[in-house]
Amino acid sequence: MRRALVTGVTGQDGSYLAELLLGKGYEVWGLVRRSSGAGAARLAHLAPDQRARLRLVEGDMTDPSSLRKAVREARPDEVYNLAAQSHVRVSFDLPEHTAAVTGLGALHLLEALREGGHRPRYYQASSSEQFGRAREAPQRESTPFAPCSPYAVAKVFAHETTVSYREAYGLHASTGILFNHESPRRGEAFVTRKITRAAARIRRGLQRELLLGDLDARRDWGFAGDYVDAMWRMLQQDAPGDYVVATGVTHSVRDVLDRAFGRVGLDWSHHVQLDPRFRRPVEVAALVGDATKARAALGWAPTVDFAGLIDMMVDHDLALADAEARGGTPPPPAPEPA
Ligand code: NAP
Ligand code: G4F
């Protein structure tokens, strides 16, 4: 039985990846923090036979000894490093924490692999934010990085460290430069989910208004389930590499509002207010990716388009709002930190 170690297993991508790997017969070891209460809910739906092959090991990306222990115990064939402080605006408030977890954490993990002597294949969760004020559009593997947030700087560090460990020590280490990907399991502080949650709750009379920072920003949004499949495909290649994963289509925050509120039959302009607290000190205005290499080399293609993605999220959030209205679970969304 193949074994995989997944950091960030309680996150959006971690839960989809764990599901994918368990479905392929892997034993999955997930690194979890003691404080991972809410995130653990993302793994609650696993079938009993899958749950039996999911082993949770306590650890933290800022604690190298816990990573060494996790690697020693799991003896993985594949390691997926998904753990991060992943919120861009929050990284301006917590720059050192973000650097420690998102940047240095990857180095600690790579060192644990190198020192361990056991040489699993390694995946690094890189980000389209690394392109920042992008020098060209669409962005591809050769586009220079121009990070403009503490998060993006930390991701560039982790990315370049991965490339340098590949070159220096011959590790089978790959990076996936993933553009935004969303799902019903997306954290509620990211803009798509913030909007779909609000559209559903406003429709059901549980909320009146939605506060947003910027309606003009454009992103290339895909479905998280598709993107974890690309991660797995990278580690099945004979040679490691770097891959952009994207749909190639860009939309604005305003487009998300149109689709989500349209789905519930409301006019968003009656409910949305701009609030500068949700703006970033520096905004990445537009990103769009060119996944030609991933399509050709990995045989990967997205299966869910923008409209299908937003509809899927709204429908899920309508069911949550219905449960909330009936007085059942879940509680209202936690407010996005401002
Ligand atoms: P997410 O939902 O925010 O999940 C982040 C995960 O990291 C959670 O499991 C979290 O655990 C864990 N984590 C945070 N700090 C940690 C620490 N100090 N030690 C150990 N674990 C820690 O993120 P995601 O959307 O699934 O994204 C997965 C990865 O891909 C991240 O590295 C993100 O930066 C990157 N990425 C995401 C996108 C996207 O659009 N989603 C695009 C490009 C790259 P808790 O449950 O304990 O908080
Ligand atoms: O949903 P977002 O917070 O995602 P962002 O900043 O693009 O980062 C996400 O995708 C990255 C990949 O490019 C990942 F690496 C990263 O970990 C994360 O998953 O914001 C999307 C856009 C931004 O331009 C933001 O300024 O929406 C804009 N926006 C407008 N109003 C808002 C809001 N974002 C949030 N979170 N909250 C708002 O009220």
Side-chain angles (χ1 to χ4, degrees):
M1 193 188 297
R2 278 189 290 176
R3 285 192 300 274
L5 172 63
V6 180
T7 74
V9 74
T10 53
Q12 170 188 254
D13 291 7
S15 72
Y16 279 103
L17 180 64
E19 217 167 273
L20 178 130
L21 295 171
L22 291 166
K24 291 182 184 294
Y26 280 69
E27 180 176 279
V28 176
W29 289 66
L31 188 85
V32 292
R33 297 192 284 179
R34 185 158 281 274
S35 58
S36 288
R42 292 194 175 105
L43 299 167
H45 64 285
L46 291 172
D49 69 306
Q50 295 193 323
R51 186 66 189 80
R53 280 181 286 112
L54 176 64
R55 309 276 299 266
L56 299 180
V57 52
E58 209 166 294
D60 194 296
M61 297 307 290
T62 60
D63 181 346
S65 63
S66 72
L67 301 180
R68 284 197 296 271
K69 181 165 172 287
V71 169
R72 216 169 37 240
E73 286 181 5
R75 293 193 60 77
D77 302 296
E78 297 171 10
V79 174
Y80 296 86
N81 182 29
L82 309 185
Q85 189 304 97
S86 74
H87 198 288
V88 174
R89 200 194 47 71
V90 167
S91 77
F92 287 98
D93 296 334
L94 301 175
E96 292 172 21
H97 172 75
T98 304
V101 177
T102 308
L104 212 48
L107 174 60
H108 293 325
L109 184 53
L110 284 160
E111 269 297 285
L113 300 182
R114 191 180 68 81
E115 287 173 2
H118 174 71
R119 298 170 70 83
R121 295 184 173 193
Y122 177 84
Y123 172 82
Q124 172 60 30
S126 292
S127 166
S128 53
E129 277 293 304
Q130 294 168 207
F131 296 122
R133 291 209 165 116
R135 312 265 169 83
E136 61 180 356
Q139 294 86 48
R140 48 180 71 90
E141 291 79 7
S142 56
T143 304
F145 295 141
C148 48
S149 66
Y151 168 80
V153 170
K155 280 290 183 189
V156 170
F157 174 84
H159 178 102
E160 298 296 359
T161 302
T162 304
V163 173
S164 99
Y165 270 56
R166 175 167 81 212
E167 291 171 356
Y169 305 116
L171 282 184
H172 191 296
S174 293
T175 68
I177 309 173
L178 271 49
F179 283 64
N180 299 49
H181 47 278
E182 320 291 311
S183 74
R185 297 183 208 163
R186 183 59 143 152
E188 290 167 358
F190 298 94
V191 78
T192 53
R193 187 81 198 287
K194 188 174 171 182
I195 291 172
T196 60
R197 247 340 226 133
R201 294 185 81 247
I202 292 170
R203 175 75 267 176
R204 295 295 188 247
L206 295 164
Q207 179 174 337
R208 291 178 68 80
E209 62 175 12
L210 168 61
L211 304 178
L212 292 173
D214 180 351
L215 307 188
D216 297 319
R218 302 186 71 85
R219 291 290 184 275
D220 179 334
W221 279 293
F223 171 54
D226 287 339
Y227 286 46
V228 300
D229 175 50
M231 299 174 188
W232 176 78
R233 287 172 187 252
M234 285 176 216
L235 296 206
Q236 310 317 306
Q237 303 304 302
D238 290 340
D242 307 306
Y243 298 89
V244 160
V245 180
T247 69
V249 182
T250 182
H251 288 276
S252 66
V253 172
R254 213 177 283 276
D255 294 336
V256 181
L257 286 165
D258 283 340
R259 186 78 203 179
F261 279 75
R263 181 85 175 164
V264 298
L266 294 174
D267 179 345
W268 61 262
S269 67
H270 297 158
H271 302 281
V272 171
Q273 305 286 339
L274 288 179
D275 185 331
R277 289 177 305 154
F278 298 115
R279 291 186 71 83
R280 288 120 200 242
V282 183
E283 177 59 270
V284 172
L287 291 171
V288 60
D290 175 356
T292 301
K293 179 181 173 186
R295 285 175 181 265
L298 307 178
W300 177 86
T303 66
V304 180
D305 67 7
F306 175 77
L309 173 66
I310 301 301
D311 290 356
M312 178 202 306
M313 294 171 70
V314 171
D315 293 351
H316 171 86
D317 285 334
L318 278 170
L320 285 189
D322 286 338
E324 186 185 346
R326 284 196 304 272
T329 53
E336 180 179 5

